[in-house]
Structure formats: structure tokens, C-alpha cells
Amino acid sequence: MLELLKYIVPALIVLAATWLVLGKLLKEERQRREYELRRQDRNITNPLRLRGYERLALLLERITPEHMLMSLDFTAMTPQDLQRHLLQTVRLEADHNLSQQIYVSDRTWQAVLLAKEETLNFINAIAMQMPEGSTTLQYAQTLITAYNQNGETPTHHALQLLKQEAQTIL
């Protein structure tokens, strides 16, 4: 019996040591594979996320009154027609980019939505303030002037959040 223990105890020690070493190697190999998969995943998703950030930045730039008015011939419109057109443009731009919310944080997406809503409210508020008989040109000038005097606008705030978040990817 003692003779048998001389062989079994060292064999158990070797087995335990082998078990520990193999366990550690397998764990390191699993961690290396997981890291490699995450790295490959980032290589695929980061360009998609960056395109999402770009599209949202473009949306925020496109819904500023100045940008919308610069790309529009409003001489044949009434102020009410211009107001409707601006509201429709903001809504269409926002609707076209709804899917981009999956690429940004909830906080940034809420800032983009707030910028959209504030822009719509701003367009309506300026229209309500215009005196009876105002021309379309007067409405457009008032929009641009009031928007530029507004300080940090919601679109500017959302754009800043978007840039900060995009920097984490870069």
C-alpha cells in the first residue's frame, strides 16, 4: 500500500499542476480571442458609427434657419408659405435621419431631438411676432437675425455633444 502511495501522490501532484497550467493557458487563449473579436467588431462598427455622427451633424447644420434660407428661392412665397416650407424641411430632415439614433448615446439623441423641436418652435414664434403685412424677405431676415442673436442655440449644443462623443471613437 505504501508502495502504491509513492506513485499515486506524485502522479496527483503532476496532474494538479498540469490542470492548473492548462487552465491558465486556456483562459489566456479565451481572453485573447475575445479581445481579437472585439477589435474586429470595432473595425466594422466604428466606421458605421462615424457615418452616423456625420449624418447627424449634417442634419443639425441643415436645420439652422440660415442654411435653409440660403438654399431657397423664397421671393415668390408668402411668409406663411415660407414658414410651412421651413417646418416641413426640418421635419423631413429629422425623419430621414431617425435611424442614426442607434449610433449615439441617449443623451446626444435627446439633444438632437430637442434641437429639432426648438427649431420648429423658433420658426413658429418668429412667424407669430411678425407684424401684419410683413414681406417674406422681412420674415427671413428676422429669422436669421434672431437666430444669430440667440447665443448658444440647441443645434449648436447638440452639435457640441455629437463632436465630443465622436472624439471617443477617434
Side-chain angles (χ1 to χ4, degrees):
M1 180 72 155
L2 194 56
E3 199 60 33
L4 189 59
L5 282 175
K6 286 182 184 177
Y7 295 111
I8 293 178
V9 171
L12 288 175
I13 292 172
V14 169
L15 180 65
T18 305
W19 181 267
L20 290 173
V21 169
L22 281 177
K24 184 176 180 182
L25 287 174
L26 290 174
K27 181 181 178 184
E28 288 174 1
E29 179 63 21
R30 185 174 8 93
Q31 287 174 339
R32 188 191 65 74
R33 283 184 186 167
E34 287 173 358
Y35 171 77
E36 191 62 33
L37 285 173
R38 281 193 308 270
R39 192 175 65 81
Q40 287 175 354
D41 187 44
R42 270 187 254 122
N43 288 339
I44 294 169
T45 59
N46 281 353
L48 292 173
R49 287 184 69 195
L50 285 174
R51 274 186 253 139
Y53 287 115
E54 290 170 359
R55 288 196 44 195
L56 287 175
L58 189 57
L59 160 71
L60 292 168
E61 290 295 331
R62 284 182 174 172
I63 66 170
T64 60
E66 189 171 8
H67 183 273
M68 289 188 292
L69 291 168
M70 291 177 96
S71 62
L72 184 63
D73 179 23
F74 51 83
T75 54
M77 297 177 155
T78 67
Q80 294 78 18
D81 291 339
L82 179 58
Q83 177 189 9
R84 277 192 296 279
H85 179 78
L86 294 175
L87 294 173
Q88 181 182 18
T89 300
V90 171
R91 288 184 183 114
L92 287 175
E93 284 288 339
D95 289 348
H96 182 69
N97 288 288
L98 280 175
S99 64
Q100 303 311 309
Q101 67 184 295
I102 65 173
Y103 299 114
V104 297
S105 69
D106 288 339
R107 177 179 173 224
T108 302
W109 180 247
Q110 290 305 317
V112 170
L113 289 179
L114 179 65
K116 174 196 136 192
E117 289 303 318
E118 290 293 321
T119 302
L120 293 172
N121 292 338
F122 178 77
I123 292 167
N124 285 329
I126 296 298
M128 299 287 283
Q129 294 175 5
M130 295 302 295
E132 188 69 33
S134 296
T135 66
T136 308
L137 182 59
Q138 290 170 328
Y139 176 54
Q141 288 173 335
T142 305
L143 269 172
I144 291 173
T145 303
Y147 191 79
N148 289 333
Q149 291 175 349
N150 227 1
E152 185 174 308
T153 62
T155 52
H156 178 74
H157 176 68
L159 192 55
Q160 292 305 320
L161 281 175
L162 205 57
K163 287 177 183 179
Q164 288 172 359
E165 201 168 299
Q167 286 299 319
T168 63
I169 293 177
L170 301 173

